[in-house]
Amino acid sequence: MIIGITGSIGVGKSEVFKYIQEKMGDLAEYIDADIITHNIYEKNEVKNFLYREFNTINRKEIGKIVFSNKESLEKLNEFMHKSIIEEINERIKKSNKKYVFADIPLLYELKLEYMFDKIVVVYASRDIQISRIMKRNNLSKVDTIKRIESQMDIEYKRKKADYVIENMETIEMLKYNVDKILEKMLEEDDGN
């Protein structure tokens, strides 16, 4: 079973993904699109592209540029997403595990639903997202909202998901919510 995990910035996807790895252990394969992206950024052809387009290879500087200029963001995404999707596909094909969990922040934006048997959305309200991002990334409210708005609305993602994991309270409550969804998912898989 191939499971995509998504959400939006500041909802706690990474925390959920980390906890799923603890719970599932060797029973599953884990694919983290952020790690794949980070590795792709290290390739020379990518660095050359970034320098040509943005006059820098510093990711924070590039972030400032693309989150305030839609055309620049589209150009960056077009270049990067093809390589990222190819790598995710390769990793899924090579896996010999019964379960594959892939943490992909832009799963819906990139229309990757076709790659997964089930999709889990990690959810938090917009106010919680704003508060978490401002605190974590030390950003202004304006910059935080720009980043949130560069992604598809979390409410829309929530409606499209097979499962929703709410992350609006404590870490203990989040783990409880993940446990319930994993249990339900594994039961449904065994029933097939």
Side-chain angles (χ1 to χ4, degrees):
M1 178 185 274
I2 304 163
I3 302 122
I5 300 170
T6 193
S8 292
I9 186 171
V11 297
K13 275 182 323 317
S14 299
E15 199 62 48
V16 167
F17 192 58
K18 190 169 74 179
Y19 183 64
I20 288 172
Q21 289 176 63
E22 286 173 25
K23 290 292 287 189
M24 297 293 292
D26 290 339
L27 291 175
E29 180 87 28
Y30 307 98
I31 301 168
D32 187 329
D34 286 342
I35 291 173
I36 290 170
T37 302
H38 181 76
N39 292 339
I40 288 172
Y41 267 99
E42 296 303 312
K43 293 182 176 181
N44 284 331
E45 66 268 21
V46 174
K47 288 180 180 178
N48 292 337
F49 166 81
L50 296 174
Y51 199 78
R52 260 193 333 271
E53 290 298 322
F54 306 108
N55 215 27
T56 182
I57 59 170
N58 181 297
R59 288 181 72 179
K60 279 191 175 175
E61 291 300 313
I62 293 168
K64 286 179 190 171
I65 295 166
V66 300
F67 288 114
S68 58
N69 182 317
K70 191 175 180 183
E71 195 176 291
S72 293
L73 179 61
E74 286 171 1
K75 200 175 277 190
L76 176 67
N77 286 345
E78 187 179 314
F79 181 81
M80 294 296 291
H81 290 161
K82 186 173 180 266
S83 300
I84 295 165
I85 293 165
E86 284 171 4
E87 180 67 24
I88 291 168
N89 261 323
E90 273 305 301
R91 299 265 310 272
I92 288 171
K93 283 180 194 164
K94 285 181 181 172
S95 177
N96 60 358
K97 303 282 184 174
K98 183 173 180 180
Y99 301 101
V100 176
F101 289 90
D103 179 355
I104 305 177
L106 301 178
L107 189 151
Y108 287 121
E109 287 86 343
L110 298 175
K111 299 176 177 35
L112 301 179
E113 297 97 312
Y114 70 92
M115 293 170 63
F116 302 98
D117 300 313
K118 297 291 179 185
I119 296 173
V120 177
V121 166
V122 182
Y123 176 84
S125 69
R126 187 176 173 104
D127 289 343
I128 290 174
Q129 278 182 277
I130 291 169
S131 160
R132 286 179 183 159
I133 298 163
M134 286 175 67
K135 190 174 176 183
R136 180 188 73 194
N137 295 27
N138 199 23
L139 292 173
S140 69
K141 189 168 187 173
V142 170
D143 287 341
T144 298
I145 290 170
K146 278 183 191 174
R147 292 199 178 198
I148 291 171
E149 289 178 350
S150 76
Q151 296 181 351
M152 189 181 285
D153 182 40
I154 187 69
E155 298 299 334
Y156 179 74
K157 292 180 182 184
R158 180 184 197 173
K159 288 177 188 155
K160 289 184 69 141
D162 295 299
Y163 304 98
V164 176
I165 295 173
E166 296 223 348
N167 183 17
M168 308 223 305
E169 297 177 41
T170 63
I171 191 74
E172 291 75 22
M173 192 64 196
L174 174 63
K175 288 178 177 181
Y176 173 77
N177 291 340
V178 173
D179 288 341
K180 279 192 343 194
I181 295 299
L182 280 176
E183 192 177 307
K184 189 174 181 184
M185 203 183 304
L186 300 181
E187 272 176 22
E188 287 175 11
D189 185 47
D190 287 342
N192 287 338

